[in-house]
């Protein structure tokens, strides 16, 4: 986040604070698996929209904050978010050209990779059981992507963040 106005940095940081809060809202036990991966969606959006201001290092820091908030093994979310941030950075120009419904398919794949890495690393650390419910957030996140994209693009344009 090196270029641009300091106000832009604060807006981006504010969106991540909101994403971190959304990731911690308590849900009933039967709905926990249906929570979208808000932090990963926001990382993908900001790298896609402003790769010169938000990059892999920023994703690492956000991932560490998410690890602290969730109480998971330190670095697991950071590694998963860094990998999807790098993947998004490598294809951000192509991804911008897709219509939203096609972007949602790519988002599904990226969130799926995020979930697989996260739960694989947790299994290596011995902290999670193995079942396939952890893949549900990838579907929910892909379905939510068009609204997240439009909302964050509106924020970016309203505050003229470039």
């Amino acid at each position: 986040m090196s270029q641009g106005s300091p106000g832009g940095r604060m807006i981006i940081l504010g969106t991540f604070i909101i994403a971190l809060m959304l990731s911690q809202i308590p849900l009933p036990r039967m709905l926990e698996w249906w929570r979208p991966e808000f932090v990963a969606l926001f990382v993908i959006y900001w790298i896609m929209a402003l790769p010169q201001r938000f990059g892999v290092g920023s994703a690492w820091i956000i991932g560490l904050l998410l690890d602290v908030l969730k109480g998971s093994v330190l670095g697991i979310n950071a590694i998963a978010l860094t990998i999807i941030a790098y993947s998004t950075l490598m294809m951000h120009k192509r991804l911008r050209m897709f219509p939203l419904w096609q972007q949602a398919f790519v988002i599904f794949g990226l969130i799926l990779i995020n979930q697989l890495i996260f739960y694989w690393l947790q299994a290596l650390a011995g902290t999670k059981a193995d079942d396939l419910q952890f893949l549900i957030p990838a579907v929910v996140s892909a379905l939510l992507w068009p609204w997240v994209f439009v909302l964050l693009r509106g924020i970016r344009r309203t505050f003229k963040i470039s």
Side-chain angles (χ1 to χ4, degrees):
M1 292 192 235
S2 60
Q3 290 181 343
S5 66
R9 278 190 216 119
M10 295 308 291
I11 299 297
I12 293 171
L13 180 62
T15 61
F16 278 106
I17 290 171
I18 291 169
L20 290 166
M21 287 174 19
L22 288 171
S23 72
Q24 296 304 308
I25 292 174
L27 293 175
R29 186 89 168 127
M30 59 189 254
L31 293 178
E32 282 181 3
W33 291 110
W34 294 89
R35 180 192 318 265
E37 288 293 321
F38 288 108
V39 176
L41 286 173
F42 282 38
V43 164
I44 292 168
Y45 174 80
W46 286 114
I47 287 179
M48 218 174 83
L50 299 171
Q52 72 278 8
R53 291 196 66 172
F54 189 87
V56 175
S58 302
W60 173 263
I61 292 168
I62 296 294
L64 287 175
L65 287 172
L66 189 59
D67 282 329
V68 170
L69 280 175
K70 284 189 172 183
S72 59
V73 176
L74 195 61
I76 290 181
N77 276 302
I79 290 170
L81 283 177
T82 301
I83 290 170
I84 66 162
Y86 180 75
S87 301
T88 304
L89 191 60
M90 290 295 105
M91 63 179 169
H92 78 275
K93 289 182 182 176
R94 274 180 270 147
L95 195 53
R96 285 183 191 173
M97 303 298 278
F98 295 161
L100 283 178
W101 66 272
Q102 285 181 341
Q103 285 180 9
F105 283 111
V106 176
I107 298 307
F108 170 75
L110 289 170
I111 301 295
L112 186 66
I113 290 169
N114 179 59
Q115 294 295 95
L116 288 171
I117 291 169
F118 178 78
Y119 283 96
W120 175 65
L121 290 173
Q122 275 200 326
L124 287 177
T127 58
K128 280 287 178 190
D130 51 353
D131 56 6
L132 294 178
Q133 285 182 331
F134 69 88
L135 300 176
I136 296 172
V139 175
V140 176
S141 297
L143 293 173
L144 193 64
W145 172 251
W147 290 278
V148 169
F149 180 86
V150 169
L151 176 73
L152 290 176
R153 184 179 61 184
I155 290 171
R156 183 173 56 89
R157 288 181 177 173
T158 300
F159 293 103
K160 296 176 177 67
I161 301 170
S162 60

